[in-house]
Amino acid sequence: ARRTCDLVGIDNHRAGYLAAEHLLRLGARRVGFVRVEGQASTVKARVRGYQDALADFSAAGHVFTMRGHQAMESNAEARGCDAFVCANDRVAGRWMQTLLSLGVGIPRDVRIVGIDDVNYAPLLPVPLTTVHQPCREIGETALRVMLERLERPKMAARDVLLDCALVIRESCGGKLGL
């Protein structure tokens, strides 16, 4: 069925790609993707971007799906990863807490990148490298799109995707001019 609603947001595929690409350029070779079950469809696009980056760099990876409010667990497959892209910054914060509680050093042993750039990202135990989502611009654009929709209710539904950018902090352990 054809979608009838407009969508305003970031290019989530690009966000997943940017996060994974950064880790791969820093030398990571086994990059996991951590998500929580039941998350939004935007996470699926982020996973596809992550998988495309792995393919472009001929790198290995695995998608880990954690249960909602249960404690995050590190299994043998996760321990084999040298870096992680997280579905969003909240998941990254929870994953960071799990790894630190197990004595895993970030970024010494494992690098982490989140997506969203929430206001507490630099305040996590290890300041989080993340893909910035321009929330104010998304809101302003959504309002414009809604007003245009009211003027022209029969026009085709459209996706308006705003750019996102990597914000480099300590959790990835390196800086590149990206």
Side-chain angles (χ1 to χ4, degrees):
R2 197 172 136 260
R3 199 168 41 84
T4 57
C5 298
D6 298 310
L7 175 120
V8 178
I10 62 168
D11 181 341
N12 286 290
H13 178 276
R14 177 170 157 69
Y17 191 98
L18 278 175
E21 177 189 42
H22 183 66
L23 292 167
L24 293 161
R25 287 189 186 279
L26 289 171
R29 285 294 154 247
R30 184 151 176 77
V31 182
F33 188 101
V34 183
R35 65 183 178 189
V36 174
E37 68 182 0
Q39 288 192 313
S41 61
T42 53
V43 173
K44 291 177 185 165
R46 293 173 182 186
V47 169
R48 283 193 308 275
Y50 149 84
Q51 289 169 331
D52 287 348
L54 290 181
D56 287 351
F57 282 79
S58 300
H62 184 83
V63 177
F64 301 94
T65 304
M66 305 298 174
R67 296 198 181 276
H69 296 292
Q70 292 183 345
M72 306 275 259
E73 293 178 17
S74 176
N75 59 28
E77 187 115 39
R79 286 190 290 278
C81 293
D82 56 4
F84 293 94
V85 172
C86 295
N88 58 47
D89 292 350
R90 181 174 173 80
V91 169
R94 288 180 61 199
W95 189 232
M96 184 183 289
Q97 293 288 355
T98 297
L99 293 173
L100 291 172
S101 73
L102 295 171
V104 176
I106 302 166
R108 184 191 69 226
D109 303 320
V110 168
R111 302 172 194 263
I112 297 178
V113 176
I115 299 174
D116 287 339
D117 195 21
V118 295
N119 61 356
Y120 59 81
L123 306 175
L124 289 170
V126 180
L128 182 65
T129 294
T130 184
V131 178
H132 178 73
Q133 185 164 204
C135 295
R136 181 181 180 89
E137 291 84 356
I138 289 171
E140 291 169 350
T141 303
L143 179 59
R144 267 195 311 280
V145 167
M146 183 182 69
L147 293 173
E148 290 169 11
R149 172 67 51 205
L150 291 171
E151 287 178 15
R152 298 179 51 212
K154 300 264 190 241
M155 89 175 141
R158 60 209 158 136
D159 289 355
V160 181
L161 301 180
L162 303 180
D163 199 15
C164 51
L166 193 66
V167 178
I168 301 170
R169 297 190 183 101
E170 287 83 351
S171 69
C172 68
K175 294 197 174 202
L176 287 177
L178 296 177

